[in-house]
């Protein structure tokens, strides 16, 4: 079944959010559903994706949770075809799925490097390539990729900061190539956001999460850490019709300037 469009021939309002089983991705999916999109929540963790989709449906939105590894080309082709079949052609893609494998350079393994590149860079490439066919058919599209303030350099994250800087170049190139089809591409570079990812970092450093957040907040100009909804709000703006002249940009959402 495809999504009903209020205006004939208007683009389908179907969004795909990767890594939406929890954290920032789950908040983005909730927000896009509130904005009127039918949302496909894709995650390695099928139970998380399904639970987040069910919560959206229970709140009156339209959502489906689907399992896929976005670093696997066959799985990406399959899952994007399933989205088109179940919800209609996707016109919004949020490349959000991510992992960390932090280590100082001299201790970083090849697998730490390859797995981070695989999810962030290869994953965003495969998903964007698969979804852009639908966007160009519809003559409208929005691609938002999650970078990070770590793109500016961060101790212990040679792999992650490289991937997040890479996503900024990827975004600018997509903006240049796809603009003539009515598609914009932008990146959001969050600072510290309270999620399982940052909770795991606190644990690795042997700190309680509340103490870790309080210490981080002291260094942030607005004196608080970010919440997933801060990022969801920025995505909501970037995918809106009114943001059609904003493309190839990196927006730092970090409670301060950062870049
Ligand atoms: N939390 C922060 O402070 C912060 C800051 C800057 C950028 N980011 C970025 O924001 C995004 C979301 O971060 P988060 O804090 O919500 O992380 P998170 O770890 O809470 O959630 C990430 C989700 O991605 C999924 N995922 C991982 N690998 C996948 C794969 N191969 N295929 C499909 N799904 C996969 C995980 O299962 C998980 O549900 C990430 O790209 C992260 O790098 C986070």
């Amino acid at each position: 079944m495809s999504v009903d469009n209020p205006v004939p021939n208007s683009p389908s309002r179907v969004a795909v959010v990767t890594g939406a089983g929890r954290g920032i991705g789950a908040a983005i999916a909730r927000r896009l559903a509130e904005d009127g999109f039918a949302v496909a929540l894709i995650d390695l963790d099928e139970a998380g994706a399904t639970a987040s989709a069910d919560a959206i449906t229970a709140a009156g939105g339209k959502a489906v949770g689907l399992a896929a590894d976005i670093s696997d080309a066959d799985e990406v082709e399959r899952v994007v075809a399933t989205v088109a079949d179940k919800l209609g052609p996707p016109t919004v893609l949020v490349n959000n799925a991510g992992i960390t494998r932090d280590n100082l350079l001299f201790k970083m393994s090849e697998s730490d490097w390859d797995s981070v590149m695989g999810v962030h860079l290869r994953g965003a490439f495969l998903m964007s390539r698969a979804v852009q066919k639908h966007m160009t058919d519809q003559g409208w599209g929005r691609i938002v990729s999650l970078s990070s303030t770590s793109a500016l350099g961060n101790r212990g994250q040679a792999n992650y900061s490289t991937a997040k800087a890479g996503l900024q170049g990827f975004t600018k190139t997509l903006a240049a190539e796809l603009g003539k089809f009515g598609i914009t591409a932008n990146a959001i570079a969050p600072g510290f956001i309270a999620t399982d990812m940052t909770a795991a970092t606190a644990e690795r450093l042997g700190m309680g999460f509340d103490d870790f957040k309080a210490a981080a907040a002291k260094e942030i100009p607005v004196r608080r850490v970010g919440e997933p909804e801060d990022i969801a709000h920025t995505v909501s703006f970037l995918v809106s019709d009114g943001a059609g002249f904003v493309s190839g940009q990196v927006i730092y959402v970090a409670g301060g300037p950062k870049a």
Side-chain angles (χ1 to χ4, degrees), residues 9-242:
N9 300 323
S10 65
S12 91
R13 287 181 62 83
V14 175
V16 176
V17 184
T18 68
R22 67 182 198 186
I24 295 172
I28 293 169
R30 276 197 303 276
R31 176 60 188 261
L32 294 182
E34 285 165 20
D35 290 350
F37 287 93
V39 187
L41 293 86
I42 295 174
D43 207 293
L44 263 185
D45 170 17
E46 183 165 20
T50 305
S52 298
D54 288 349
I56 290 172
T57 309
K62 186 166 184 179
V64 58
L66 299 166
D69 176 354
I70 58 146
S71 64
D72 181 298
D74 291 341
E75 290 198 26
V76 165
E77 289 298 324
R78 174 190 54 76
V79 82
V80 171
T82 304
V83 173
D85 192 42
K86 283 187 184 286
L87 298 177
T91 49
V92 169
L93 169 64
V94 184
N95 289 312
N96 166 82
I99 58 168
T100 52
R101 294 288 182 273
D102 297 354
N103 239 327
L104 293 173
L105 179 63
F106 77 101
K107 287 194 281 191
M108 188 170 283
S109 69
E110 287 157 51
S111 114
D112 291 336
W113 180 271
D114 291 342
S115 46
V116 167
M117 296 305 154
V119 179
H120 295 271
L121 287 180
R122 187 177 160 80
F125 155 62
L126 293 173
M127 286 297 304
S128 303
R129 191 180 63 177
V131 169
Q132 58 81 31
K133 290 182 280 232
H134 297 289
M135 295 179 174
T136 49
D137 282 352
Q138 297 278 309
W140 190 93
R142 299 280 186 262
I143 299 173
V144 180
S145 299
L146 271 287
S147 177
S148 167
T149 51
S150 296
L152 303 169
N154 200 25
R155 190 178 152 81
Q157 292 198 312
N159 49 2
Y160 184 82
S161 58
T162 300
K164 291 309 200 185
L167 280 171
Q168 297 190 8
F170 180 65
T171 294
K172 289 170 190 290
T173 301
L174 295 193
E177 288 188 15
L178 299 175
K180 66 180 173 192
F181 302 107
I183 300 167
T184 67
N186 291 286
I188 297 173
F192 187 118
I193 309 294
T195 67
D196 290 324
M197 184 180 271
T198 36
T201 305
E203 198 176 334
R204 197 165 37 77
L205 298 174
M207 283 179 84
F209 195 33
D210 285 341
D211 290 342
F212 190 55
K213 285 190 284 188
K218 279 192 191 141
E219 306 299 321
I220 297 171
V222 301
R223 293 290 184 274
R224 69 169 177 90
V225 299
E227 298 296 333
E229 288 70 23
D230 290 309
I231 305 307
H233 193 76
T234 313
V235 172
S236 175
F237 163 70
L238 286 172
V239 308
S240 67
D241 262 325

